[in-house]
Structure formats: C-alpha cells, structure tokens
Amino acid sequence: MTDSSPTDSPRAQIKRQQIMAAARQLFLAQGYERTSTETIRQAAGISKQTLYVYFPSKVELLSAVVTEELAGFTLAQLRPAPTTLSELRAQLLGLAQGFTRQMMQPDALALLRLLIGEAVHLPELRGTLRRAFPARLLARVEALLSAAHTAGLINAPNLNLSARMLVGPVISFVALDGLLSDQPLGGGPPAPPGLETLTELVDLFLLTVAKGSRG
Amino acid sequence: MTDSSPTDSPRAQIKRQQIMAAARQLFLAQGYERTSTETIRQAAGISKQTLYVYFPSKVELLSAVVTEELAGFTLAQLRPAPTTLSELRAQLLGLAQGFTRQMMQPDALALLRLLIGEAVHLPELRGTLRRAFPARLLARVEALLSAAHTAGLINAPNLNLSARMLVGPVISFVALDGLLSDQPLGGGPPAPPGLETLTELVDLFLLTVAKGSRG
DNA sequence: TTCAAACTGTACTGTACAGTTTGATTTTTC
DNA sequence: GAAAAATCAAACTGTACAGTACAGTTTGAA
C-alpha cells in the first residue's frame, strides 16, 4: 500500500525481502505484540532507521508479511470438470491432500494462529481473513461439486453443506490436532493424516453424494 | 492454584468473581496483551493493590478467567447408549445442535480466539488447550459411535475418522463463519446453521456409517 | 472501644517499546 | 571523483505498563 521504498530498484526489492524474512520468522514464532521492532532490525541486520524507510510502521510490516505468506499457499491446480466418478474422486483427494500437507506445517499453523488471534484487533489485516486458506478450500470444493452435479455424477441438493462434509473433516485435523493441541512448541510438527486416511475420508464422503442415496 | 485470597470467606469469593467478571469482558474483547491491569482495576472498581491481593499476576488472572469460562461450556447430557438408529440420530443431533448454539456466541468465539492466539505463548494456559471444547466434542461423538457400533447399529471400521465426518462439518461452521470471517466486531453474531441444516448434516453423516454401505 | 483484616489512592521503580531526529558515513551512479 | 541516494549509530521523545511501597481509611466483629 504505502510504498515508501527508496526506489523500486532490484536492490530495494531485495532489502524489502530481507526485512520481511526476519520479521516473518519472529512474528510467526512469537506473535505480533511480543515482537519488537528492535528485535526485527537486529535479525535483519539493519538499522532502525532503514526499517522505517522501507515500512512506514510495524503493523504495515506485519501486513506485508502476512499477505505474502498467504499468497504462498496454493490449492491443487484447477483441472477440467470431472466426467467420471473416478476423476471426481481423484480431484477431491488431490485437494484434500494438498491442503493438509501445506497446512500441517508449523509455519502454516503459526500463520493461522496469528491471523485468528490478531486480525480482529488489526484493521489492516481484517480483509486478509476473507482470503484465508480454509475458506478458499471450501469455495473450491463447492465449485468442483457443482460441476460434478451438472455432469450428473452426483446427487447434492445442498452444495454448500456437501462441500462442508468433505472440507470439515479435513479442517478438523488442522484445528484439533494442529491449533488446539498443546504439544510443546519445539516438539516437531503434528502428524498429518496419512494418505490412506484421506482416501478413506474421500470414499466416505462420496457415499453422501452417491446417486440414489436420497431423493 | 496460588490462592492468595485474603480468606476463603464468601466475601472474598464475591470479590474474586467481581474482578474476574471485569477481566473476562476485557480479555475477550481486546485480547491479553492489549488489556492492562490498570483498565481491569478500573472496570472492577477496585484499587490496583486489591487486584494483586486476589491474583498474584496478570497471567494468573487470565488463567483463572479462561478456566472458569471453559468450565461453562457443556455438552448435551450423556444419555444411555442408543438401541435404535433413530435414537442414535437424535443424540447426534442433540450434540451437534448444543455445540453450535454455544459456540456461535460472540463470547465463545472470542474465547476460542484467545486460546488459539495466546495459549502457545503462555505456559499457564498450555494445558487448557487439551480441555478445549471442540476436542471434547470429538471424543464424545467417538464414544457414542463406539456404543452404536457395539450395539450393531452402524458400520464404522475407523471410529475416529467417522467421528470427524460429523464433527468436522460442525467445526467448519465455527471455524470458517465464526473465526475466519471478517465481519466487523460489533456486527452481531454470525448466523449459526439452522436446525434443518444440522438435521440434514446428521442424515448425510448416517449414510457414511449405514450398514451394508461397505465391507 | 479496640483490633484486625480488607481496602484505598497515590506515587514510584524499572522496564519496554514505537517512532523520530541528527549528523556522519558509506555506497551507488553518472 | 563528485553528486545523490542509502545507510548507519546513537541519542532522544513520549508513552505505556506490570508490579511494589506506603501511609492512611473503612468495616465489622469481639
């Protein structure tokens, strides 16, 4: 937003990245309030003045970090609409697997924690919530199911609820095992659900949209 | 824990509650770091000295507040093991409904936000996570399904995953619409899913554990 | 009336922090 | 090699905060 960089030269870009990398690590590890600009400047190896040349305030630095971090999350490639149940199954599995793999990383969980805990109190981050990863997954699955429904593959009168039947269990792994478990911070990442579990989940899910299962 | 109350007289109990009520409101609205002991003391209408007589530190006050708040959440009464599918259905619906009704309250969401955002950084709260509400729901549903399975009502080789198939979608409402939506803070509570939606959800879920649907 | 517990207000300690100012020094660019 | 841009260190401003010290006041029961 407020681009107070000295120039937009490659040089300046690099410095920006250098500052953001340092800030990123600290914000994710300690949270926003517990991280001081002094610590950030030390970690970035620059003077305080330079920091404020590149970012007008601490909160704008956070905003830049979070925005970039969020942009790093990707959902599995959008593929052509499925024409068979087996294609649908494969696409759903791909989405579920890609999501959990990325999300169960310590950094991803820390980012989510940061967003959930701080965004309410920081207007600068408010809009970021809408673009948050789990919400994007729900939209994507809903679109996929809609296509499958149009193609006559499945039976789903309530698309949003059906999407939640798949996305919900996936989120439950992240939320319960990732966000709400009390493992010590250094104690390695929480174990993500295995591929077999996700396959089993997708198959259970397909039962709920199978043709003929309801009116 | 550290009980530094002047006495355990009813009088002291009341004062404790009075302080905790003020702190509760502030912590939930603003978060831990953004709430000062000075503000708490003002809201409680007492002197700073008194506050520190009843609670040895700010973080212990938070801990007391969170612990009490969490104790206020209840799951639907434990009922006798279901003997018919229709009983199972009713019990599942009761759990899902009770959970969402409580959880979609602004205060409940704020507490969850506080737990997720702060507990990692405050050893005093770490253990509280294990007792957090959503995790309790999963355990309860799993136990219920186990009983139903023993009674021969359902088919569920993977009890934990099956429980997640119900709990996950319920959590998805809280997580996506409650925690990760960016509605302005004063803008009323997020709309909880209606009873029809939850009924539909339970029925979809039952398809995944219906006898005969898989080996 | 006395006594003890609870409470008050105020001032204070020590610390931490975001952001600014200054004036000098380095680095880049032409 | 000079002008311009970027960076630096360090001191400083103003504020905020957790927790303590203190000296005096209220309250309620014996």
Side-chain angles (χ1 to χ4, degrees), chain B residues 6-7 11 15 47 50 54:
Chain B
T7 70
R11 193 168 187 282
K15 200 123 220 166
S47 78
T50 302
Y54 285 91

Side-chain angles (χ1 to χ4, degrees), chain A residues 24-57:
Chain A
R24 185 195 101 105
Q25 195 266 322
L26 289 163
F27 284 146
L28 291 188
Q30 314 180 344
Y32 177 71
E33 296 283 355
R34 288 176 180 81
T35 301
S36 72
T37 55
E38 173 61 21
T39 316
I40 295 171
R41 122 184 142 68
Q42 275 178 22
I46 57 165
S47 78
K48 206 167 189 180
Q49 185 58 357
T50 302
L51 190 155
Y52 277 94
V53 167
Y54 285 90
F55 297 93
S57 70

Side-chain angles (χ1 to χ4, degrees), chain A residues 27-131:
Chain A
F27 284 146
L28 291 188
Q30 314 180 344
Y32 177 71
E33 296 283 355
R34 288 176 180 81
T35 301
S36 72
T37 55
E38 173 61 21
T39 316
I40 295 171
R41 122 184 142 68
Q42 275 178 22
I46 57 165
S47 78
K48 206 167 189 180
Q49 185 58 357
T50 302
L51 190 155
Y52 277 94
V53 167
Y54 285 90
F55 297 93
S57 70
K58 185 185 170 187
V59 72
E60 292 256 11
L61 173 53
L62 172 70
S63 183
V65 165
V66 167
T67 300
E68 191 190 60
E69 195 70 4
L70 211 54
F73 290 107
T74 53
L75 292 173
Q77 280 294 333
L78 206 72
R79 286 189 283 170
T83 57
T84 67
L85 262 183
S86 130
E87 272 177 36
L88 173 63
R89 181 173 181 269
Q91 293 195 23
L92 289 174
L93 186 57
L95 280 172
Q97 209 193 344
F99 180 86
T100 53
R101 200 178 22 216
Q102 285 182 87
M103 219 57 184
M104 294 301 263
Q105 302 296 323
D107 276 5
L109 290 172
L111 178 69
L112 202 52
R113 235 187 293 270
L114 196 62
L115 269 178
I116 292 174
E118 309 274 15
V120 182
H121 309 291
L122 300 177
E124 285 84 353
L125 286 190
R126 196 78 52 78
T128 309
L129 279 181
R130 204 174 319 141
R131 276 160 280 138

Side-chain angles (χ1 to χ4, degrees), chain A residues 164, chain B residues 73 96-113 133 169-181 183 187-194 198:
Chain A
R164 284 179 196 269
Chain B
F73 289 106
Q97 210 193 343
F99 181 85
T100 53
R101 200 179 21 217
Q102 286 183 85
M103 218 58 184
M104 296 299 264
Q105 303 295 322
D107 277 4
L109 290 173
L111 177 69
L112 202 52
R113 236 187 292 269
F133 205 33
V170 171
I171 291 184
S172 83
F173 289 113
V174 175
L176 299 182
D177 306 345
L179 287 181
L180 282 175
S181 82
Q183 23 195 338
L198 290 180

Side-chain angles (χ1 to χ4, degrees), chain B:
Chain B
M1 185 123 311
T2 31
D3 221 341
S4 46
S5 307
T7 70
D8 280 350
S9 65
R11 193 168 187 282
Q13 300 283 347
I14 288 171
K15 200 123 220 166
R16 257 184 100 82
Q17 286 302 318
Q18 168 188 354
I19 298 172
M20 284 169 68
R24 185 196 100 104
Q25 195 265 321
L26 289 163
F27 284 147
L28 291 188
Q30 312 181 345
Y32 177 72
E33 295 284 354
R34 289 176 180 81
T35 302
S36 71
T37 56
E38 172 63 20
T39 317
I40 295 171
R41 138 197 123 60
Q42 276 178 23
I46 58 167
S47 78
K48 206 167 188 179
Q49 201 51 255
T50 302
L51 190 153
Y52 276 94
V53 166
Y54 285 91
F55 297 93
S57 69
K58 185 185 171 187
V59 72
E60 292 257 9
L61 173 54
L62 172 70
S63 184
V65 166
V66 167
T67 300
E68 192 190 61
E69 195 70 5
L70 211 53
F73 289 106
T74 53
L75 292 174
Q77 279 294 330
L78 206 73
R79 287 190 281 170
T83 57
T84 66
L85 262 182
S86 129
E87 273 178 36
L88 174 62
R89 179 172 182 269
Q91 292 195 24
L92 289 174
L93 186 57
L95 280 172
Q97 210 193 343
F99 181 85
T100 53
R101 200 179 21 217
Q102 286 183 85
M103 218 58 184
M104 296 299 264
Q105 303 295 322
D107 277 4
L109 290 173
L111 177 69
L112 202 52
R113 236 187 292 269
L114 196 62
L115 269 178
I116 292 174
E118 309 274 15
V120 182
H121 308 293
L122 299 177
E124 285 84 353
L125 286 189
R126 196 79 51 77
T128 308
L129 280 182
R130 206 174 316 142
R131 277 160 280 139
F133 205 33
R136 279 195 279 162
L137 176 64
L138 182 69
R140 184 63 153 289
V141 169
E142 199 170 333
L144 182 53
L145 292 183
S146 172
H149 182 253
T150 302
L153 295 176
I154 61 172
N155 179 20
N158 186 336
L159 275 177
N160 181 269
L161 184 60
S162 284
R164 283 178 198 269
M165 287 291 295
L166 179 69
V167 172
V170 171
I171 291 184
S172 83
F173 289 113
V174 175
L176 299 182
D177 306 345
L179 287 181
L180 282 175
S181 82
D182 64 341
Q183 23 195 338
L185 206 49
L195 180 55
E196 331 75 51
T197 304
L198 290 180
T199 307
E200 198 177 345
L201 168 63
V202 169
D203 286 336
L204 281 179
F205 165 75
L206 286 174
L207 291 178
T208 70
V209 291
K211 296 219 92 169
S213 63
R214 16 165 215 171

